[in-house]
Amino acid sequence: MQSLIIALAIAFGGYWLLRQFVATPASQAAGFMRKAGGVALLAVAGFLTFRGAFSAAVPIFIVGLGLLGQSGLFPGGFPWGQKTAGQRSRVATSLLAMELDHDSGRMDGQVLAGPYKGRLLSALGNDELKAFHRQCTAVNDQSRALFEAWLDRSKAGWREAWQAGPRVTGAAPSAVMSRAEALAVLGLKEGASADEIRHAHRRLMKEFHPDRGGSDYLAAKINQAKDVLL
């Protein structure tokens, strides 16, 4: 009877976690999986304790707390796979400077030229965004591709609503990228190790890979930044 109750509890818990994962934004999925893993390990530790297997339960319990960021050994969670607090990636064109906050996954941009200079994209109204899109389209650089990456992420259905043209695909990065720009794209500081560069690249590609609904342009910039730094 006890085994049946435990099996039902595991099945119900797994179903609930699956529903929560499906409803979780992509930018928060990694954090959700880490916490879900921590809860699962605590449950396993509790089961082993109930069965009297204390020696096996203790390390599993500690690992579970570490994933939840509650371990005395790792108060902020395990050091591997962590983001640096306040870390931001930055990509800029002649008209737009875009930033991604690694902690929240929020992306926003500041207009650098034209009638909306100095304003954030998130503060522009629908008509202003349309006008800025026309401005980006008229400029012979990657401003349109960068702006549309933000629209795809922040304004679902904008292309159909505006009756815009086809998506800009295969957008190539600029021919030359400086080391400072590459560090800004990956959200790193001077002196970052090769492992830190690869980790930042992998994390950002999970966000922006075209196969996951991301941006061709931003994926190309992220790949170029890694190539410059390694």
Side-chain angles (χ1 to χ4, degrees):
M1 184 63 180
Q2 289 180 342
S3 298
L4 177 61
I5 293 174
I6 292 173
L8 289 174
I10 292 174
F12 177 79
Y15 174 73
W16 181 83
L17 286 174
L18 179 61
R19 287 180 60 89
Q20 294 298 310
F21 177 74
V22 170
T24 300
S27 60
Q28 301 174 19
F32 175 84
M33 291 300 295
R34 184 174 63 251
K35 291 179 180 179
V39 171
L41 289 178
L42 292 182
V44 171
F47 174 73
L48 291 175
T49 300
F50 177 77
R51 298 295 296 269
F54 297 106
S55 59
V58 170
I60 294 175
F61 181 77
I62 293 174
V63 173
L65 287 180
L67 289 174
L68 293 173
Q70 300 298 319
S71 170
L73 294 176
F74 305 109
F78 290 120
W80 54 85
Q82 282 191 339
K83 302 173 185 177
T84 301
Q87 191 172 2
R88 292 172 178 267
S89 292
R90 187 178 190 274
V91 177
T93 66
S94 64
L95 294 182
L96 187 60
M98 194 76 70
E99 285 195 351
L100 171 72
D101 187 305
H102 290 207
D103 296 325
S104 65
R106 183 174 181 270
M107 187 167 74
D108 204 352
Q110 185 177 40
V111 180
L112 300 179
Y116 307 117
K117 181 178 179 179
R119 296 181 63 184
L120 294 176
L121 294 179
S122 58
L124 297 180
N126 193 57
D127 289 340
E128 292 171 320
L129 290 172
K130 287 183 181 180
F132 184 62
H133 185 263
R134 291 192 293 270
Q135 182 183 354
C136 290
T137 302
V139 175
N140 189 26
D141 69 359
Q142 300 297 328
S143 295
R144 178 186 170 188
L146 182 58
F147 181 42
E148 290 189 355
W150 179 84
L151 288 170
D152 288 337
R153 190 178 179 92
S154 305
K155 303 288 183 182
W158 71 271
R159 195 178 299 277
E160 293 76 14
W162 296 4
Q163 297 182 341
R167 179 192 299 269
V168 178
T169 58
S174 56
V176 178
M177 177 183 286
S178 68
R179 181 175 178 84
E181 183 183 358
L183 289 168
V185 169
L186 296 183
L188 299 172
K189 296 180 179 179
E190 188 61 62
S193 68
D195 285 343
E196 289 173 326
I197 293 167
R198 294 188 184 96
H199 178 70
H201 173 265
R202 285 194 300 269
R203 183 173 65 245
L204 290 171
M205 287 303 291
K206 288 179 181 178
E207 288 272 352
F208 294 107
H209 196 286
D211 291 346
R212 302 188 180 195
S215 161
D216 289 297
Y217 172 71
L218 288 178
K221 294 289 283 188
I222 293 165
N223 283 330
Q224 186 183 15
K226 185 194 74 169
D227 292 341
V228 168
L229 296 175
L230 291 179

